[in-house]
Amino acid sequence: MVRVGVIGGGQLARMMIPAAVNLGIDLRVLAEAEGMAARLAATAVGDYHDVDTVLAFAREVDVITFDHEHVPQDVLHALMDAGVPVHPGPDALLYAQDKLLMRQKLSDLGLPVPVWARVETEAELQEFLDANDGHAVVKTPRGGYDGKGVRVVTAAHEASDWFTVLAEHGAGDALLVEELVDFRRELAQLSARRPSGELVLWPVVESIQRDGVCAEVLAPAPGFAGRIADVAAQIATDVATGLGVTGVFAVELFETADDRLLVNELAMRPHNSGHWTQDGSTTSQFEQHLRAVLDLPLGATGCTEPHTVMVNILGGPAEGALSDRYAGAMAAHPTVKIHNYGKDPRPGRKVGHVNASGSELDVVAYEARAAAAFLQD
């Protein structure tokens, strides 16, 4: 039996388990702590920053992949030096780990990105603001997600605390500053590539953000076809080949008010914008990721219904467990699929999602939103 090792015990690893069972794959997870979302497959618990811990885990599997992008480069290279297949590899993950490096690489490849700069001081940030209508987005290059490490500023002193942290950590660090893009909506192009080069793309989706967190995904993105869809596909293809990405990955995009596409973020793993594929595509992103890292032929990526809407369950019930709400949600919305991450409810936390599919977008969106409302307070 082929053995796939996943570093990270979160919900993405959890959602790989059914696909692995269906394919007869022995999925093993190195979780950061006991009781994480992927505990059903957690064969080891340990610190993914520790080379010896990760190497010991890797000796028991045939290939290593990830639930997140935070494994340090020295650990990734130690795996490679030990002859362990790693997908995506360290040279690709580097650009998902550091936003400054990602912006520079995408710029070097000629891909469309917001106007950006590396800033090490408040004076440099103010200079950027003065050149860009007095508004900008400041990001910490490493560690930010779900709106964390991102700040809209109109004056340099509004990021003074971040510059103080940089100074305390020594010279050479910097922040990423970008233009405040006038965008119509946010989109995501989910794709998968295997080591031998085959690349497939799902339809582009629209993601709806609230407080910096993905709240809903509409698949496919309404009114998204023709030239602009071709542009999104070409961007994803250039990212995959230019960065050497393997496995499932997402390119998050801004559709600007003047009909351009700009790359916002990269995710080199299954992604929230692809959860709809579990119930709305011929091949889910989780099965596809396993196929890709094992260099197996990739599955079809078409939609099984004209529309699928994914709605995240954020926070969950104020009291009790998510499953306590099942009866009401299932009775009222029997066509909706519930995905529970096995996490304790907590304000703002992603504890699950629902998918609804059908022929009418308004009906599908209503079903998904109403079912999610049963499951959260």
Side-chain angles (χ1 to χ4, degrees):
M1 180 182 293
V2 66
R3 299 162 298 176
V4 174
V6 183
I7 298 178
Q11 64 258 28
L12 299 180
R14 179 190 182 96
M15 287 184 276
M16 292 182 205
I17 296 172
V21 170
N22 290 341
L23 292 172
I25 293 170
D26 181 5
L27 192 80
R28 303 186 180 189
V29 172
L30 173 61
E32 296 90 328
E34 298 284 353
M36 294 191 68
R39 54 189 172 273
L40 293 171
T43 57
V45 175
D47 183 1
Y48 61 80
H49 297 88
D50 182 71
V51 171
D52 292 336
T53 297
V54 174
L55 285 174
F57 173 70
R59 291 189 193 104
E60 303 298 321
V61 300
D62 300 304
V63 62
I64 287 288
T65 190
F66 309 95
D67 170 83
H68 56 72
E69 297 121 333
H70 306 311
V71 179
Q73 283 286 309
D74 64 322
V75 176
L76 296 173
H77 282 286
L79 287 168
M80 298 289 287
D81 292 345
V84 179
V86 178
H87 297 295
D91 292 343
L93 277 170
L94 181 65
Y95 301 108
Q97 294 174 337
D98 190 308
K99 292 181 175 65
L100 277 167
L101 293 177
M102 180 262 289
R103 279 286 178 260
Q104 185 61 61
K105 182 66 172 180
L106 295 180
S107 298
D108 292 345
L109 291 171
L111 291 167
V113 296
V115 176
W116 68 277
R118 172 190 175 95
V119 293
E120 297 184 15
T121 65
E122 287 188 42
E124 291 177 348
L125 175 55
Q126 190 60 54
E127 183 179 348
F128 186 92
L129 283 163
D130 293 342
N132 288 274
D133 300 321
H135 296 80
V137 179
V138 180
K139 299 180 180 180
T140 55
R142 290 176 169 267
Y145 67 97
D146 283 348
K148 299 177 178 65
V150 179
R151 193 178 288 179
V152 176
V153 300
T154 57
H157 69 81
E158 294 171 1
S160 60
D161 55 331
W162 283 358
F163 283 113
T164 298
V165 172
L166 291 182
E168 291 173 349
H169 289 173
D173 289 329
L175 299 175
L176 170 64
V177 60
E178 300 177 347
E179 66 172 309
L180 185 62
V181 175
D182 181 15
F183 64 90
R184 181 180 298 123
R185 57 179 174 171
E186 294 186 64
L187 304 167
Q189 174 65 75
L190 190 73
S191 311
R193 180 173 178 263
R194 61 181 177 130
S196 56
E198 182 188 8
L199 175 71
V200 297
L201 302 91
W202 283 270
V204 174
V205 301
E206 179 178 348
S207 62
I208 299 169
Q209 312 287 318
R210 298 195 183 100
D211 299 323
V213 178
C214 178
E216 299 181 9
V217 170
L218 312 180
F224 194 84
R227 182 195 65 82
I228 201 165
D230 294 339
V231 171
Q234 189 60 57
I235 289 172
T237 300
D238 291 345
V239 167
T241 56
L243 276 60
V245 186
T246 48
V248 166
F249 66 100
V251 181
E252 297 180 66
L253 301 158
F254 291 128
E255 181 183 11
T256 68
D258 57 355
D259 293 323
R260 293 176 297 137
L261 290 182
L262 301 176
V263 178
N264 179 25
E265 301 281 359
L266 302 178
M268 295 184 192
R269 50 173 170 75
H271 189 249
N272 202 166
S273 67
H275 291 350
W276 71 273
T277 63
Q278 291 172 295
D279 303 297
S281 176
T282 303
T283 309
S284 82
Q285 65 168 341
F286 301 103
E287 177 185 337
Q288 198 82 290
H289 188 67
L290 294 175
R291 289 190 186 205
V293 303
L294 292 168
D295 205 14
L296 294 170
L298 301 179
T301 53
C303 298
T304 56
E305 294 281 355
H307 301 282
T308 297
V309 173
M310 187 282 305
V311 177
N312 275 323
I313 303 167
L314 299 174
E319 295 182 3
L322 197 63
S323 57
D324 296 340
R325 305 288 184 90
Y326 281 176
M330 291 175 175
H333 306 283
T335 63
V336 172
K337 302 297 184 182
I338 300 171
H339 297 269
N340 186 337
Y341 303 161
K343 294 180 173 182
D344 293 331
R346 188 174 69 205
R349 189 183 203 186
K350 292 178 183 175
V351 296
H353 67 270
V354 300
N355 286 329
S357 299
S359 58
E360 299 293 333
L361 178 57
D362 289 348
V363 173
V364 170
Y366 166 77
E367 290 291 328
R369 292 165 184 162
F374 267 97
L375 301 166
Q376 59 192 10
D377 291 322

